[in-house]
Amino acid sequence: MATTVVNPLREGLRLARTPEPSTIVIFGGSGDLTSRKLMPALYNLALQRLLPATFSIVGAARQPLTDKRYRDELHTAVGEHSRTKPLNEEVWRSFAEHLYFVGTPDERGYDTLGQRLDRLDQDLGTNANRLFYLATPPAAYEPIVKAIGAHGLRGSTGWSRVVIEKPFGRDRESARVLTETIHTVFREDEVFRIDHYLGKETVQNILVMRFANGIFEPLWNRQYVDHVQITVAETIGVEERAGYYEQAGAMRDIVQNHLLQLLALVAMEPPAAFDDKSVRDEKVKVLHALRPVDADRLSDHAIRGQYGRGFVEGVAVPAYREEQGVAKDSRTETYVALKCFVDNWRWEGIPFYMRTGKRLPKRSTEIAIQFRVAPHQVFSREASEGLDPNALVLRIQPDEGVSLKFGAKVPVQGIRIRTVNMDFDYGASFMVDAPDAYETLILDALRGDATLFTRRDEVDQQWAFVDPIIDAWATAPAAPPIYEAGTWGPADADALVTADGRAWRKA
Amino acid sequence: MAQGVTIDAAFWGAEAAGIVALERELKRLRRAQSAHAREQARTVARAAVLNLVVYADRELHARRSAQSISDLASRHPSRAIVLLADRGAHEGAEGRLEMHCHLPTAENATQVCYEQILIRARGDADERLASVVIPLLVPDLPVFLWWTGSPPVAGRAFGQLVGLADRLVVDSADFARPEEMLPAIARISAQARGRFGLTDLNWTRLTPWREIVTSFFDVPAWRPFLDTVTGVRVGFAVDMDGRQILPSQALLFIGWLASRLGWRPIEALAPSEAGGLLFAVARADGARIQIRVRPRFERGLADGDVSGVRIQAERDGQQAEFVIKRQPDPRHQTASVLLGGERRWERTMPLPSFEIVELIGEELAIMGSDPTYEEALAALVRLG
């Protein structure tokens, strides 16, 4: 095992995050995710000079392609999808020189891949540091991981890591089986399960906001918080993903991963440090404390819906069942609203209302902490008419920022109170373009920092929470209620909140 | 009465009689701006994350820095106080301060409002400068002092203004006599420790060079060459006539290598070419390293900017060269590694913009001082 020799020049460089020389191997190298997200992210890392000194990329997929053809195809794709435009041809040329393709239609293909990797190590002194990225449909995860093991693609020296896209399994059992298979080749600390939400700047800002500041945390508990609302609203429909979405539904697509991650970040206890173990330990504790939904009284806690026809942003859109690739009698949910409780000291009795859906009126992801009203009303009822309870809203997208709602005196004679917003606009304070989530996550994986990736026990607990709900819906006699596209979901979802004397926020 | 430079009121705003009048004028401007925005159904946030005090002794410099601050407003909205020392105007006459203020709008950020104040010190008014800056500082926000040109290290105004600052920004590229100024800056930085941070924009310009040189030696196979360097060559840009010889940046690069790698001075040699510098230093193991810093004419580069670096090393009979060159188009640089004369690796990277606004913007994001810079400076002073 090679020991890492310290590079004395690195000290004091602001760019202390550069990863070690390495190779990234992308399975599904000619697929949609690679050309839309991964390659643009890698190219933008090169543009920001964040890639290691020696670095190469090997794409692998079933159909054969020459290196030249592969580079040409990606040149077009990156030109189209990169967040920075136009493409810097000088940098691309130098970047593409270290971009290769190997066809892996059969077992022999994997041997070829292994030889190619060994040669790159020799030429570039990368010490067999390898990051395997599985950007394929989920069905291919297991065979590829097995092939990595069987063909000895892990180098003899250096580190090897594997990045796996969501969905990780389709229920608790399949996720466990997948983890077992992966563990025959990779240790858990070498497994990086992606939830790209965690790569978003504003999602990470939740942790900074909570734990770098002294003023919020004292209020962050059942004593001061009335309830929490988490919204992940999309305006788009199922688009070209019907094949996947019909099997998944909103529960597997958004709730199991993104929504539960947001919940965990909002509800977790302060970690001892910002590192992979401390942060993920705390998140798992929240998921453990999440009260299981009572399947017999499901409609008190979980509401589903499916979009019908309607208008979104002024455009007439078809119903879900009219979308291409969707069954005419599909029972797949495109909307989920949940009322959850985190049974621990901090949150006992405080409801967390969460909702997500497609074809909602606007695209918005936000977390709202709604505080209790002042214990005693000093001002007359007329004066306080315009007063809403205080709320701290963390807007994740669009218009990333934080706002605090509070009452202020209207400048007239006598007392009249109106709710005003104190606004922090992320974009106006830091005009720097935020890096794409994939840039952050790929760089972290190359550096071996798993803080923003999902650990096996996290995935396990996430499935443990959603599985019973999915099962109950699957066996329920009724189909999900239809909501009109361009509305905030089915009426039952409103009832979920109004039954407690509360209301959904106007997101 | 002798007149100094004319202040362009269209740019700097109307003249105000004293601090109170200035504050009143700012308030009026802010209200007008919000009213205007409200008509267009926008809101204007008054934002300031820092106080930025700029010292300039030419209107051109003052104006240029004011423009940079405007461009920066979206990223680092500030209350900017530009001090223009207009000494020539009233030689010997009693000093007088003249104030102007306005609310510039930054491009793409019309929703952010910030304030720019010009204070012109006519005649010998240096000792009054601090007294007008103090009441104008926004409380609770850090104070950055950006000194254009060579700071008069022993000057009274400089001492007082530095006393107010949390961070001093200088640009050693502007130093007319680096052999005197760099040691002076090193002394300031030694005094500054714990009181204020010190930034040299010229050091910021070196960052991409330092990053690439560093990344060569992240490769395990190449790391050992760092201990067996035999020679270093650094080129810096001069204009065609070779009049402006500004080697500060190249020298800082040498200082950085020397401080990180523990090189010790042996002797300064007479260079063979005009404007060049030649040193011999000793490696940690005592072996001799030849260092050559030489001016080169290159199109498209600012005077003094590093144009290329070549590090030579030898180990176990194998020659290695680590080379970074600017592309003919100065926005890119190419790094290559040659082992035994054979090219092993090459990569082209974009060079970040060296516009002053970018440099300042980067520095304003950082509060603390940079010990690596201080050590590089100290090593450089030792090399003489």
Side-chain angles (χ1 to χ4, degrees):
Chain A
M1 169 123 177
T3 49
T4 324
V5 188
V6 182
N7 179 351
L9 297 181
R10 193 143 286 290
E11 195 181 320
L13 269 186
R14 281 163 199 165
L15 204 72
R17 280 170 52 106
T18 315
E20 289 170 79
S22 46
T23 302
I24 179 167
V25 184
I26 304 178
F27 293 97
S30 51
D32 204 41
L33 182 70
T34 307
S35 50
R36 293 173 76 97
K37 293 288 183 188
L38 304 186
M39 249 352 129
L42 284 163
Y43 160 76
N44 274 291
L45 288 173
L47 212 53
Q48 297 163 78
R49 311 145 59 90
L50 290 170
L51 291 178
T54 59
F55 184 68
S56 48
I57 304 166
V58 181
R62 287 208 179 143
Q63 80 280 32
L65 271 179
T66 61
D67 287 346
K68 165 144 193 353
R69 177 83 188 282
Y70 189 51
R71 290 168 188 173
D72 290 347
E73 282 181 7
L74 289 176
H75 179 253
T76 316
V78 172
E80 191 177 334
H81 299 294
S82 166
R83 73 180 164 92
T84 53
K85 284 183 175 126
L87 197 69
N88 182 328
E89 296 292 344
E90 297 258 359
V91 172
W92 171 264
R93 206 174 308 130
S94 168
F95 174 82
E97 270 175 39
H98 307 288
L99 182 56
Y100 308 93
F101 185 86
V102 175
T104 49
D106 51 22
E107 299 297 310
R108 291 238 317 267
Y110 283 95
D111 286 331
T112 315
L113 178 59
Q115 288 153 13
R116 179 68 76 96
L117 292 177
D118 290 341
R119 206 165 61 232
L120 285 172
D121 284 330
Q122 252 171 24
D123 292 351
L124 304 177
T126 43
N127 198 26
N129 294 326
R130 290 170 192 174
L131 181 71
F132 298 96
Y133 199 118
L134 272 50
T136 61
Y141 294 164
E142 297 200 27
I144 291 173
V145 169
K146 283 179 180 158
I148 292 173
H151 295 267
L153 297 186
R154 296 188 54 133
S156 45
T157 55
W159 49 257
S160 285
R161 302 180 188 127
V162 64
V163 180
I164 297 163
E165 273 292 329
K166 80 158 202 193
F168 194 89
R170 54 173 287 109
D171 53 26
R172 195 179 193 184
E173 185 52 32
S174 58
R176 280 183 174 174
V177 171
L178 180 54
T179 288
E180 291 311 317
T181 309
I182 294 169
H183 282 183
T184 60
V185 182
F186 295 96
R187 295 189 312 266
E188 178 61 23
D189 65 313
E190 296 172 328
V191 183
F192 290 69
R193 296 174 190 82
I194 275 205
D195 183 331
H196 73 267
Y197 251 60
L198 292 176
K200 288 180 189 284
E201 287 286 311
T202 34
V203 171
Q204 292 165 51
N205 192 42
I206 298 172
L207 293 177
V208 173
M209 171 86 196
R210 286 192 57 195
F211 303 130
N213 294 298
I215 55 169
F216 301 116
E217 210 46 28
L219 306 177
W220 216 267
N221 56 52
R222 62 189 305 279
Q223 193 108 32
Y224 298 99
V225 174
D226 180 76
H227 70 278
V228 176
Q229 290 189 16
I230 305 179
T231 302
V232 177
E234 297 177 292
T235 51
I236 55 168
V238 68
E239 318 246 280
E240 283 96 43
R241 298 165 69 219
Y244 156 74
Y245 202 84
E246 273 284 88
Q247 303 302 313
M251 206 65 178
R252 288 191 180 94
D253 189 41
I254 303 281
V255 177
Q256 178 262 334
N257 36 68
H258 305 329
L259 260 185
L260 289 181
Q261 284 290 353
L262 293 179
L263 171 77
L265 293 174
V266 169
M268 69 193 267
E269 296 297 317
F274 189 66
D275 61 33
D276 55 350
K277 183 167 191 309
S278 316
V279 171
R280 297 193 294 183
D281 281 353
E282 294 304 338
K283 285 199 303 183
V284 170
K285 280 188 214 161
V286 173
L287 295 170
H288 269 291
L290 201 53
R291 188 187 302 169
V293 168
D294 182 355
D296 296 333
R297 302 180 52 198
L298 196 59
S299 60
D300 291 349
H301 294 276
I303 302 296
R304 60 180 167 156
Q306 188 189 71
Y307 63 83
R309 288 182 194 182
F311 295 90
V312 174
E313 291 165 2
V315 179
V317 296
Y320 178 69
R321 291 176 187 177
E322 294 166 345
E323 302 267 18
Q324 194 153 28
V326 173
K328 294 281 163 280
D329 56 350
S330 170
R331 289 168 48 121
T332 302
E333 80 282 356
T334 63
Y335 177 97
V336 173
L338 296 168
K339 174 170 141 187
C340 317
F341 291 92
V342 177
D343 287 334
N344 63 16
W345 195 286
R346 186 191 283 258
W347 296 116
E348 184 55 44
I350 303 302
F352 286 76
Y353 301 104
M354 307 198 282
R355 58 180 164 165
T356 180
K358 287 193 175 296
R359 290 286 188 223
L360 298 186
K362 73 189 251 201
R363 172 171 165 260
S364 161
T365 300
E366 61 157 49
I367 297 167
I369 316 291
Q370 182 100 41
F371 292 96
R372 292 180 193 272
V373 292
H376 168 65
Q377 282 307 320
V378 176
F379 302 101
S380 70
R381 187 196 283 238
E382 302 84 73
S384 314
E385 256 174 2
L387 181 64
D388 297 333
N390 298 127
L392 183 71
V393 182
L394 313 176
R395 297 187 306 272
I396 312 265
Q397 66 184 17
D399 302 331
E400 296 82 349
V402 179
S403 51
L404 179 66
K405 242 165 63 165
F406 60 93
K409 182 181 177 304
V410 181
V412 291
Q413 285 302 323
I415 300 276
R416 220 156 241 298
I417 300 169
R418 198 190 298 155
T419 305
V420 293
N421 252 346
M422 192 156 75
D423 237 328
F424 160 70
D425 180 350
Y426 219 80
S429 289
F430 306 100
M431 287 278 277
V432 195
D433 270 349
D436 182 75
Y438 275 96
E439 291 169 38
T440 308
L441 294 173
I442 290 174
L443 195 61
D444 277 359
L446 284 170
R447 290 166 53 240
D449 181 347
T451 311
L452 301 176
F453 295 83
T454 316
R455 204 166 59 188
R456 76 188 281 193
D457 47 352
E458 245 176 305
V459 175
D460 195 55
Q461 285 304 313
Q462 289 171 341
W463 285 119
F465 177 75
V466 300
D467 272 357
I469 306 173
I470 294 175
D471 292 346
W473 281 342
T475 52
I482 305 294
Y483 60 97
E484 196 182 320
T487 67
W488 283 109
D492 295 355
D494 290 336
L496 188 74
V497 181
T498 50
D500 298 337
R502 298 184 177 105
W504 288 111
R505 278 173 42 78
K506 296 185 278 292
Chain B
M1 194 169 86
Q3 276 296 314
V5 278
T6 341
I7 295 298
D8 179 1
F11 182 83
W12 293 106
E15 187 174 351
I19 301 278
V20 176
L22 188 84
E23 293 282 11
R24 202 183 305 128
E25 173 67 4
L26 279 173
K27 197 165 177 181
R28 188 188 69 77
L29 289 170
R30 273 199 297 271
R31 194 174 303 153
Q33 197 182 49
S34 312
H36 178 65
R38 212 171 300 146
E39 277 170 23
Q40 300 172 1
R42 290 186 292 116
T43 51
V44 175
R46 185 191 169 202
V49 298
L50 49 95
N51 290 294
L52 184 56
V53 180
V54 180
Y55 181 94
D57 49 16
R58 281 201 252 157
E59 215 250 339
L60 178 71
H61 286 170
R63 206 173 168 129
R64 205 188 292 153
S65 47
Q67 192 57 51
S68 300
I69 303 164
S70 277
D71 296 341
L72 270 177
S74 46
R75 268 193 288 166
H76 302 284
S78 55
R79 168 167 277 196
I81 304 168
V82 179
L83 303 172
L84 172 59
D86 187 5
R87 243 178 238 100
H90 289 243
E91 202 70 59
E94 198 197 338
R96 192 170 85 82
L97 299 175
E98 184 186 314
M99 299 174 212
H100 299 256
C101 65
H102 70 144
L103 308 180
T105 33
E107 233 175 291
N108 315 323
T110 45
Q111 71 279 23
V112 181
C113 148
Y114 78 107
E115 298 141 5
Q116 204 164 76
I117 299 165
L118 173 75
I119 298 170
R120 172 156 67 152
R122 313 180 73 168
D124 189 15
D126 269 11
E127 59 188 12
R128 303 166 190 224
L129 283 177
S131 75
V132 68
V133 170
I134 293 169
L136 288 174
L137 296 174
V138 180
D140 261 0
L141 294 181
V143 179
F144 282 65
L145 173 62
W146 175 12
W147 200 280
T148 65
S150 304
V153 176
R156 175 151 178 207
F158 178 73
Q160 286 180 336
L161 290 170
V162 161
L164 299 175
D166 297 294
R167 194 171 177 94
L168 169 65
V169 179
V170 296
D171 188 349
S172 63
D174 294 344
F175 293 174
R177 285 186 298 278
E179 66 282 5
E180 289 170 25
M181 279 316 292
L182 288 173
I185 293 293
R187 280 197 299 280
I188 296 177
S189 118
Q191 291 161 12
R193 207 156 292 153
R195 293 198 295 131
F196 60 90
L198 173 69
T199 290
D200 181 350
L201 297 180
N202 219 16
W203 176 248
T204 316
R205 291 187 190 93
L206 268 182
T207 308
W209 298 89
R210 290 163 55 220
E211 279 171 7
I212 298 179
V213 168
T214 301
S215 70
F216 282 138
F217 303 103
D218 284 339
V219 179
W222 302 339
R223 165 64 186 81
F225 287 111
L226 198 52
D227 302 326
T228 57
V229 172
T230 54
V232 179
R233 277 196 247 170
V234 183
F236 66 94
V238 287
D239 60 2
M240 210 172 333
D241 317 328
R243 272 172 315 189
Q244 288 270 52
I245 306 285
L246 301 168
S248 303
Q249 199 184 111
L251 288 172
L252 281 171
F253 180 81
I254 299 295
W256 170 64
L257 282 179
S259 66
R260 299 268 59 87
L261 300 174
W263 294 349
R264 298 181 311 276
I266 302 180
E267 55 185 330
L269 305 163
S272 55
E273 64 208 302
L277 295 153
L278 199 57
F279 303 98
V281 300
R283 278 193 327 230
D285 63 4
R288 190 180 167 99
I289 305 174
Q290 184 104 320
I291 295 178
R292 185 185 285 273
V293 176
R294 51 184 200 167
R296 299 176 69 101
F297 167 66
E298 300 221 18
R299 227 171 273 282
L301 291 190
D303 292 343
D305 273 355
V306 169
S307 60
V309 169
R310 181 181 296 263
I311 297 174
Q312 292 156 311
E314 187 184 339
R315 189 173 194 94
D316 305 332
Q318 191 180 33
Q319 301 280 344
E321 280 191 278
F322 302 89
V323 185
I324 311 171
K325 278 194 196 133
R326 267 184 215 258
Q327 291 285 300
D329 114 48
R331 291 192 314 280
H332 292 90
Q333 54 193 170
T334 296
S336 41
V337 176
L338 291 90
L339 296 179
E342 187 192 338
R343 174 162 311 164
R344 275 306 187 71
W345 167 257
E346 187 170 277
R347 194 163 71 153
T348 301
M349 280 155 282
L351 259 179
S353 159
F354 286 135
E355 295 284 320
I356 204 92
V357 48
E358 295 295 328
L359 295 173
I360 278 278
E362 198 174 326
E363 288 310 317
L364 295 188
I366 301 158
M367 288 302 298
S369 56
D370 184 348
T372 313
Y373 169 70
E374 291 170 7
E375 287 165 28
L377 204 53
L380 184 58
V381 171
R382 279 197 301 275
L383 291 181

